Every structure is written in structure tokens, then in C-alpha cells.
Amino acid sequence: MRLILALCLTAALQAADYDLLIRNARVIDGTGNPWFRADVGIKDGKIAAIGRLLQATATRELDARDRVLAPGFIDIHTHVEGEVEKVPGADNYVMDGVTTVVTGNCGGSSRNLAETFARLQKQGIGLNLASLIGHNTVRSQVLGAANRQATPEEILKMQELVEKGMREGAIGFSTGLIYIPGTYANTEEVVALAKAAAKYGGIYASHLRDEGERGLAAIEEAVRVGREAGLPVQLAHFKVDNRRLWGSSAKNVGLIEKSRREGVDVTVDQYPYDRSSTGIGILLPSWALADGEQKVKERLADPPTRARIAKEMEQMIKRLGHKDYSYAVVASCQFDHSLEGKSIREINLLKGRRKKLKYEIQTILDLMAQGGASMVYHSMSDKDVERIMRYPFTAVGSDGGIREFGVGVPHPRSYGTRARVLAEYVRNREVLTIEDAIRKMTSLPARTIGLRDRGLVREGYAADLVLFDPARVQDKATFLKPHQFSEGFDLVLVNGQPVVDNGKLTGARPGRVLRHMGNP
Ligand SMILES: [Zn+2]
């Protein structure tokens, strides 16, 4: 009798229809369509069935109790180079419901994608990862940080590097046209390199040359690259980054619409915060940053050159519509952690200097000469943030990175982007419906980067899924205390394996490198 029972049990186990069966979920499938009630069966890392699976058996069954089951979030805009090796579980992202990241943005990627991909695969990662090949990475290999146009031979060399990246599995080509050395390139160079990516079916992801006064011209430049090189264009962390132009996002969105009507496939991504984050160098004129760190130090040590830099900075901040640098806050500073969380204005006063713009500029140049700092800038208006978010073809992307818990004072977007969209912009302000918010985090970015088997709750798709209660989901990371995981994402599956279970990290590393499968 006992033997028979044991046999029956074994048979039942072997015959289990699914590895995991999630019952009674409100499925938001990622298309933007309204939620529907269903059970979802998962087998061998894939979504095997969706429907009323009353008779089905599974190794593990879980009652969703009417919580939302959505596709895992795809972050189309991240910078995880170097960090993913340190924190391969990508804790801050998976706790925020992210199951796939796209890295290599803003012109900066791994130099050797084949090697990086192989290493990550071997090491194991908590989420799926795809990468772009970066313009600045490629240009610095050929021209260093030289402030000049590339020669035709140099363009050829750079094209070869882009093609190599594409063959190794990059999903496209990215630029960071405000950064060194990308900012020294003209549009023709960008078109030539984008063509190398287009050959392999890649996209063009652009950090625009300007996000303020010359924003429209910068969008036009990116659209021109898409038109002339023949590839889709993704505009990164779309915003109006100039106080004097707050409210003008309607014009920028209008230009995207016009370009789409003309047949250029343009989409954008955005993080749901009114403050940006980047290095302190962005406050200096770009010529002052050429030719490497040593040269920059020499310029800062040379009084006439330093005076010229300071004078241009005064004009730059006026053009940005700020009276002083209270909008610029140190996020992390390697040589003096006590500065973290303080604004340039406060640091200037701490140094015993008077409350004047010209002294604040000297404080910035001192920080620069000592090795720089990473910053948070309060530079956007929430009206623009909301308007851009409402635009149907705006995806959600954090522009963040993987963070070591407790290290520095990084922008909270790395921890809280998804939860903040769902808590603040869906639940509190009703800027988006929940279905549309999910679409912007899933199928929209999947479409843009050409993922054909992720981004929807659909049979046959990879079981990247997230389970949460929309009334409870909440971002916790703030500008002062960024190292706080989002709450409410109870279960996060990557390729069918829980990386978050019961709201806790599992330490599993079921992520995969997603190589672009484009043209030859
Ligand atoms: Zn950027």
C-alpha cells in the first residue's frame, strides 16, 4: 500500500504540468490592454499556458490573490559596466522589478563585448543583459581625447570597431554627444558610424548634443542620423534641462511626432524624476576637458586659462537659467566623502568663501582639479516630466546603474524608477493608467531593441514576470537616502527562476546575455 502511494506520488510529481503555477492573477500583459484574470503556468523557463488552469498540477503553486502579474521590466537605458561584476545579482534593479537591462548607453560601453559577454555568462547574472556599442569607447580607441574631426582613415577604423561590436551581439550604436570625446565629433562622423550598426540591424541610441537651448537642433541631428543611416532612433533620458525653457517639452515632443510622420522611427526614454545626474565636468566648457586628465589639470593650474574657463562657466550657468550652483549637489566624491549630499553653494561656504557665483566657480574648479565628483542636478520641471511621460512612445528607463548597497549617494533612479512610476505617476497623480505604465516598461522597449520573446505575458515567451500589489508598490529611495530597495514587488522571475521571492532577494542568477540577432 505504502509502495503504491509512493509510486503515485512520484508519478504525480513527474506528471506535473508546470514548474510553477500562479493562480488568480490580474494579468497586465504588456500590450497596454486592460488587465484580465487568469492563471499562468511556467515550464522550462517559459510561459507555457495562460487561462483557467483548474485541473493543472505544478511543482510549486502560488495564489496571486488578485495581485498584478506583468512582464518583467525591461530597462532600455542603463550604465552597468564594471558594476555588474561587483554586484552580479543586480539587487537594486531586480528589487524594482527589472528583469532585463540595456547597457552601453550615452557613448560608453565595454571595449570588448565578446569577452564581457562570455565573462558575465560564466559568472552568472541576476537579470538579462543586452548592450550597445559606444561611440566614445570607439573614438577614444582611435583618437584618444583629441578635440578635432576624425580623418577618413580614422572613420574607417571606428566603423570597423562598431561592426565588430555588432557581430559580437550589440543591439546598436550609442552616442554621448555632450561628453568627451564624443562632443568633438560632427554629424557626418555619427552618420558614418551609425551606418555600420544599421548594416547589422542595430538601433541608434543618442544622448543628445543638447537638452536645453539647442535641444530642437539636437533632436534634428539625431533624426538626421536615423534618416541618413537608415536605422531606428532612441532618444535617451528625454528632458528639458534648462530652467529658462521649462514648459517647452511640447515643442520637443512635436518634433518627434513630425519625424515619425516623415518615416523616421524615433522613440524616447525617460526617468521619472525632476533631477538629473552626471559628472561635475559637464559644468565646464568642453574644450577645457580635452586630451585627458593630466591636460585638464594643467589648464586649471594655468591662471589665464583658468580665468577663461571660469568666464565661460559664468555664461553657461546664465544660459541655463540658474543664479547660483545650489541646484548642483555632490552625489559621490572619491577624495572627500564628507562632501556627498552637499550643494556646490554649501561647499563653497564651508570653504570659507563668500556667497558669490565667481567663488562657487572656483570651488567647482578646485573639485575638478582634485579628481572630480559625480553630481545630482535639480534641472527639470515636473510639468515637462509629466508631459513627456504621457507621450505614448516614451519608454521608462532609469539611466542608472547597479549599485553597491550603501556606497556613495547616487541618484535614487537606480533603485526606484519602476516603483515610482507605479506609485507616484499612476496611483497618486494618475498621469498614466497602470496598463500603459506597464507597456512603457515592457513591450515598448522590447519592440525598440528587437526582443521578440520578452516584454509580454504570452505563451512561448520567456518567463520574465513580476507579481505585485498596485496599492502597495512604493519606491523608497530618495535623494538624501538613495540606498533603499523598492517595496511591493513580491515575486520577480527571470527565465522562470525567482530572483525575488516573498519580497526578498534569492541570490539566484538565471540571467542571460541577450545578443542581437540581426542581419548577417
Ligand atoms: Zn546620457
Side-chain angles (χ1 to χ4, degrees):
M1 184 63 192
R2 201 171 283 166
L3 180 69
I4 292 170
L5 188 64
L7 282 173
C8 287
L9 276 173
T10 320
L13 280 177
Q14 279 168 350
D17 299 316
Y18 307 111
D19 301 326
L20 172 63
L21 179 55
I22 301 173
R23 294 193 183 276
N24 308 315
R26 272 193 259 170
V27 175
I28 296 184
D29 67 4
T31 59
N33 285 332
W35 61 262
F36 57 92
R37 240 175 224 112
D39 310 325
V40 174
I42 292 146
K43 196 171 175 59
D44 300 328
K46 295 216 158 39
I47 298 168
I50 305 165
R52 294 259 291 166
L53 308 173
L54 290 176
Q55 307 302 323
T57 56
T59 311
R60 178 184 176 192
E61 288 198 27
L62 191 151
D63 188 351
R65 300 189 314 273
D66 228 19
R67 281 171 290 177
V68 165
L69 186 68
F73 305 138
I74 298 169
D75 193 331
I76 195 166
H77 193 102
T78 74
H79 301 270
V80 306
E81 281 77 18
E83 305 299 324
V84 65
E85 281 90 352
K86 283 190 219 156
V87 189
D91 303 349
N92 55 298
Y93 276 135
V94 298
M95 287 296 280
D96 200 35
V98 178
T99 55
T100 298
V101 291
V102 177
T103 192
N105 276 287
C106 301
S109 69
S110 152
R111 279 191 178 200
N112 189 334
L113 284 177
E115 195 188 284
T116 303
F117 287 166
R119 195 176 58 242
L120 290 177
Q121 206 113 62
K122 197 162 162 237
Q123 178 183 15
I125 45 177
L127 38 59
N128 307 306
L129 176 145
S131 184
L132 297 145
I133 181 87
H135 176 217
N136 293 358
T137 303
V138 163
R139 198 181 212 263
S140 61
Q141 284 174 80
V142 177
L143 285 90
N147 178 4
R148 63 172 173 82
Q149 303 302 317
T151 65
E153 294 74 42
E154 287 165 339
I155 298 261
L156 269 179
K157 267 193 200 155
M158 289 192 278
Q159 280 180 320
E160 276 165 24
L161 289 173
V162 172
E163 289 201 25
K164 175 174 167 285
M166 292 302 299
R167 281 194 299 272
E168 290 171 352
I171 56 157
F173 171 64
S174 82
T175 53
L177 296 174
I178 63 161
Y179 296 119
I180 310 301
T183 192
Y184 304 135
N186 59 14
T187 311
E188 287 72 22
E189 174 178 329
V190 180
V191 169
L193 301 189
K195 277 183 180 162
K199 242 164 113 173
Y200 294 82
I203 63 164
Y204 172 51
S206 178
H207 179 138
L208 294 167
R209 211 180 273 275
D210 191 280
E211 295 178 325
E213 260 186 332
R214 290 183 291 267
L216 287 170
I219 296 168
E220 265 162 9
E221 180 186 29
V223 170
R224 182 184 152 198
V225 173
R227 187 180 286 123
E228 291 184 12
L231 78 182
V233 179
Q234 177 71 14
L235 304 181
H237 41 64
F238 205 60
K239 60 169 104 66
V240 176
D241 208 9
N242 182 319
R243 208 186 167 93
R244 291 199 294 128
L245 297 173
W246 281 2
S248 71
S249 52
K251 263 193 223 155
N252 301 8
V253 169
L255 182 51
I256 291 168
E257 273 300 274
K258 175 173 166 280
S259 307
R260 291 197 63 84
R261 279 196 300 276
E262 291 168 3
V264 184
D265 177 357
V266 189
T267 46
V268 308
D269 57 78
Q270 177 199 37
Y271 51 84
Y273 296 86
D274 60 3
R275 289 169 231 190
S276 61
S277 170
T278 189
I280 195 169
I282 208 69
L283 298 172
L284 277 70
S286 66
W287 61 263
L289 303 169
D291 310 315
E293 216 174 301
Q294 193 46 42
K295 266 279 172 203
V296 177
K297 281 187 180 158
E298 279 172 40
R299 285 187 198 107
L300 292 173
D302 174 52
T305 315
R306 187 175 172 115
R308 205 177 126 208
I309 295 170
K311 196 162 173 233
E312 284 193 31
M313 284 172 70
E314 225 175 299
Q315 292 157 0
M316 284 166 79
I317 189 174
K318 280 188 185 139
R319 280 206 303 273
L320 286 172
H322 298 284
K323 288 194 188 71
D324 56 63
Y325 287 98
S326 53
Y327 78 103
V329 176
V330 173
S332 89
C333 178
Q334 293 312 313
F335 62 87
D336 186 353
H337 294 294
S338 76
L339 302 180
E340 292 166 0
K342 296 195 173 75
S343 73
I344 294 295
R345 167 156 257 214
E346 290 167 311
I347 294 167
N348 180 61
L349 292 173
L350 281 174
K351 295 210 181 279
R353 288 172 168 154
R354 281 198 288 141
K355 204 161 78 178
K356 275 197 147 178
L357 188 63
K358 64 175 182 182
Y359 298 118
E360 290 180 10
I361 288 174
Q362 292 307 318
T363 297
I364 291 167
L365 296 180
D366 289 349
L367 291 177
M368 231 9 240
Q370 288 173 83
S374 121
M375 307 287 293
V376 166
Y377 299 106
H378 190 177
S379 54
M380 293 167 251
S381 95
D382 224 21
K383 280 232 164 60
D384 288 319
V385 173
E386 286 186 9
R387 184 184 286 121
I388 291 167
M389 192 179 288
R390 279 197 187 95
Y391 178 57
F393 306 145
T394 301
V396 176
S398 67
D399 192 20
I402 293 172
R403 299 294 171 215
E404 282 182 87
F405 200 84
V407 176
V409 191
H411 194 296
R413 63 195 179 191
S414 297
Y415 281 89
T417 289
R418 268 55 49 170
R420 182 169 161 80
V421 168
L422 295 169
E424 183 65 19
Y425 292 92
V426 172
R427 195 172 63 219
N428 297 348
R429 299 194 209 174
E430 300 181 343
V431 172
L432 300 174
T433 63
I434 188 167
E435 287 85 354
D436 206 33
I438 299 286
R439 180 185 65 85
K440 286 164 175 284
M441 302 182 195
T442 57
S443 69
L444 173 58
R447 177 221 73 111
T448 300
I449 62 174
L451 283 181
R452 306 265 182 266
D453 61 347
R454 292 174 202 272
L456 290 173
V457 181
R458 186 161 286 180
E459 283 154 9
Y461 272 49
D464 292 348
L465 293 164
V466 52
L467 183 72
F468 66 96
D469 176 354
R472 212 161 46 77
V473 69
Q474 186 66 52
D475 59 310
K476 304 300 279 184
T478 63
F479 283 91
L480 285 177
K481 281 192 171 173
H483 294 284
Q484 302 192 73
F485 293 130
S486 291
E487 285 180 3
F489 297 114
D490 300 325
L491 179 74
V492 181
L493 300 177
V494 173
N495 298 308
Q497 302 294 318
V499 288
V500 173
D501 208 341
N502 265 319
K504 302 242 159 31
L505 291 162
T506 66
R509 294 179 189 175
R512 290 193 196 134
V513 170
L514 306 178
R515 289 180 183 80
H516 180 61
M517 295 301 160
N519 307 330

